[in-house]
């Protein structure tokens, strides 16, 4: 239900909004970028709030805010109102609901965190599969303003009661343990880390995960936001371009589960090159090719990149830094990650305005992805935490 604020959902509304308001794609892209930045800036505060008040209250308030954000979008009359609307949508959906949803899963799972977070993230893939067609149907029947009112009702009837009734704080508060129901481990597990936000910010792996999230959001958002325009230049009709979004979502679901399975067996930093090489391929294909075969391969690559990065992002921070201060740490990472979604569309719009095509910016994106993949080999696993250092001092005490 974050899809109303995800780029895959916004992209369906993008052309009808710009046509009705009489604004250029560049102006709309700037509004989307600034709105995204404004909406994501409160994420560190929301993260700390989750740590202190728990996911249930936070998720309920944010879900109500998302419904109201959709109502506001139905009233937009100018580029400035559009900017505010994008800020409300992106802030409540991405900086709020997505953050608290990932947090609650990470609180309840440790040993099987990768597959659990990936399974929970299938909701995003399912939404990407279903909602673009649903939103397109709403727009066809009710216009884009009526469609946003319908989406507001959908949010209020689904995720709002789910958040109020089912979200819970960490299992220890209810006399339960993490990974409830699993057989005892065959071998002793390494102690769960406990990094503060300040300690996490001093590690290379934090910035690697942030860079991966930044690039995936920047390039993926730009590609999805301009999906129909890019497919048109590749000779793909609107109906086929809509089907490619469904294919992308299906591949995203498979890649999310597959990578989640791998995260429980390998360190997330070792899986970063997988996501980056697929994103590099997704950038290169529309830059240097056209036609249905290239477009299908493009959708497969982008879906794979999104899915693998989604699983790495959902479980990686908790695996490296623990649960004690996870909300605060994830709040900061969301600012860096989602800022990619803010800045990503701007070079794409500029490339079209200045050169008449997306080729130049896509080639640059491909190079950045390869550089990030190579940088993963130089990053080390964090070797200490606040908890382990305290335990060490206690053991050394006479």
């Amino acid at each position: 239900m974050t899809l109303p604020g995800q780029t895959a959902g916004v992209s369906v509304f993008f052309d009808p909004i710009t046509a009705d308001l009489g604004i250029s794609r560049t102006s709309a892209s700037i509004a989307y970028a600034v709105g995204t930045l404004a909406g994501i800036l409160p994420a560190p505060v929301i993260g700390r709030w989750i740590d202190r008040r728990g996911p249930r209250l936070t998720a309920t308030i944010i879900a109500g805010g998302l419904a109201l954000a959709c109502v506001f979008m139905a009233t937009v009359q100018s580029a400035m109102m559009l900017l505010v609307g994008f800020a409300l949508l992106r802030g409540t959906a991405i900086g709020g609901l997505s953050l608290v949803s990932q947090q609650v899963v990470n609180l309840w799972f440790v040993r099987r965190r990768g597959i659990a977070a990936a399974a929970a993230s299938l909701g995003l893939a399912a939404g990407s599969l279903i909602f673009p067609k649903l939103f397109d149907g709403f727009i066809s029947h009710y216009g884009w303003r009526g469609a946003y009112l319908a989406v507001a009702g959908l949010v209020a009837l689904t995720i709002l009661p789910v958040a109020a009734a089912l979200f819970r704080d960490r299992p220890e508060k209810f006399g339960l343990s993490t990974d409830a129901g699993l057989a005892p481990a065959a071998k002793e597990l390494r102690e769960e880390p406990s990094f503060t936000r300040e300690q996490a910010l001093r590690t290379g792996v934090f910035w690697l995960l942030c860079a991966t999230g930044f690039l995936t959001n920047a390039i993926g958002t730009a590609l999805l936001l301009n999906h129909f325009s890019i497919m048109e230049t590749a000779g793909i009709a609107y109906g086929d371009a809509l089907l490619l979004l469904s294919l992308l979502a299906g591949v995203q679901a498979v890649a999310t589960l597959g990578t989640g399975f791998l995260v429980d067996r390998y360190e997330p930093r070792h899986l970063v090159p997988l996501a980056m090489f697929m994103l590099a391929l997704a950038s290169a294909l529309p830059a240097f090719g056209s036609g249905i075969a290239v477009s299908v391969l493009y959708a497969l690559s982008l879906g794979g990149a999104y899915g693998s990065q989604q699983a790495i992002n959902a479980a990686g921070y908790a695996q490296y830094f623990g649960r004690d201060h996870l909300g605060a740490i994830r709040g900061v990472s969301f600012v860096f990650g989602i800022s990619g979604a803010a800045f990503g569309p701007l070079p794409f719009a500029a490339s079209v305005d200045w050169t008449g095509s997306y080729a130049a910016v896509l080639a640059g994106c491909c190079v950045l992805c390869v550089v990030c993949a190579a940088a993963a080999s130089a990053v080390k696993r964090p070797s200490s935490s606040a908890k382990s250092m305290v335990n060490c001092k206690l053991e050394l005490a006479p």
Side-chain angles (χ1 to χ4, degrees):
M1 292 309 298
T2 65
L3 254 292
Q6 298 280 358
T7 304
V10 175
S11 65
V12 182
F13 288 90
F14 207 70
D15 288 341
I17 289 175
T18 54
D20 186 41
L21 298 182
I23 60 179
S24 67
R25 292 186 67 86
T26 300
S27 297
S29 295
I30 292 173
Y32 190 73
V34 177
T36 297
L37 280 176
I40 200 63
L41 286 177
V45 177
I46 295 173
R48 282 190 176 274
W49 190 25
I50 298 170
D51 288 335
R52 293 171 182 171
R53 302 301 301 271
R56 188 179 189 179
L57 176 63
T58 313
T60 303
I61 293 174
I62 291 169
L66 178 57
L68 292 175
C70 293
V71 172
F72 180 87
M73 284 296 294
T75 69
V76 166
Q77 299 291 340
S78 65
M80 181 56 65
M81 287 186 71
L82 182 63
L83 187 156
V84 174
F86 282 150
L88 294 174
L89 272 182
R90 300 288 280 171
T92 53
I94 313 302
L97 192 57
S98 181
L99 175 60
V100 70
S101 298
Q102 291 183 15
Q103 173 85 342
V104 76
V105 175
N106 282 318
L107 289 176
W108 280 78
F109 293 89
V110 176
R111 287 167 51 199
R112 300 304 302 279
R113 179 177 283 142
I115 193 66
S121 297
L122 287 181
L124 183 58
S128 300
L129 183 66
I130 296 169
F131 281 114
K133 289 185 178 180
L134 180 64
F135 292 171
D136 189 61
F138 284 163
I139 293 170
S140 298
H141 284 87
Y142 310 118
W144 68 269
R145 297 183 188 276
Y148 264 122
L149 291 177
V151 174
L154 193 62
V155 171
L157 292 173
T158 55
I159 191 59
L160 182 56
V162 166
L166 301 180
F167 275 49
R168 292 290 186 276
D169 206 340
R170 60 173 63 207
E172 290 87 346
K173 289 192 175 182
F174 305 97
L176 302 172
S177 61
T178 58
D179 302 294
L182 283 183
K187 59 181 180 179
E188 185 178 352
L189 295 175
R190 129 181 221 164
E191 182 186 14
E192 185 179 5
S194 178
F195 282 73
T196 64
R197 183 174 67 179
E198 291 70 23
Q199 289 173 324
L201 290 174
R202 292 196 292 268
T203 66
V205 74
F206 175 86
W207 295 107
L208 174 67
L209 294 177
C210 282
T212 306
F214 180 91
L215 285 176
T216 304
N217 280 304
I219 299 170
T221 296
L223 290 173
L224 289 176
L225 199 62
N226 297 284
H227 175 74
F228 296 102
S229 174
I230 292 173
M231 290 298 98
E232 183 180 0
T233 62
I236 307 300
Y238 180 86
D240 292 334
L242 200 59
L243 288 175
L244 285 175
L245 283 179
S246 298
L247 174 62
L248 187 155
V251 175
Q252 180 182 345
V254 174
T256 300
L257 271 183
T259 308
F261 178 83
L262 293 175
V263 167
D264 285 330
R265 288 155 178 79
Y266 304 97
E267 282 191 52
R269 63 192 173 98
H270 294 153
L271 301 174
V272 166
L274 173 68
M276 288 296 97
F277 283 133
M278 284 191 288
L279 190 58
L281 183 59
S283 302
L285 286 169
F288 304 110
S290 61
I292 188 64
V294 169
S295 299
V296 168
L297 186 56
Y298 155 79
L300 294 174
S301 301
L302 185 56
Y306 253 126
S308 56
Q309 194 277 332
Q310 189 175 320
I312 294 168
N313 183 70
Y317 291 93
Q319 183 165 319
Y320 283 121
F321 306 122
R323 297 177 295 153
D324 292 339
H325 308 282
L326 185 59
I329 294 169
R330 293 294 283 121
V332 175
S333 73
F334 263 62
V335 172
F336 288 99
I338 306 304
S339 64
F343 292 114
L346 299 182
F348 279 67
S351 180
V352 171
D353 289 343
W354 296 342
T355 69
S357 76
Y358 296 101
V361 68
L362 286 170
C365 290
C366 182
V367 172
L368 288 175
C369 291
V370 173
V371 171
C372 185
S377 62
V379 173
K380 305 296 183 182
R381 182 182 185 117
S383 58
S384 64
S385 68
K387 181 181 290 186
S388 63
M389 285 187 287
V390 168
N391 289 342
C392 181
K393 290 178 181 178
L394 290 174
E395 290 172 2
L396 292 174

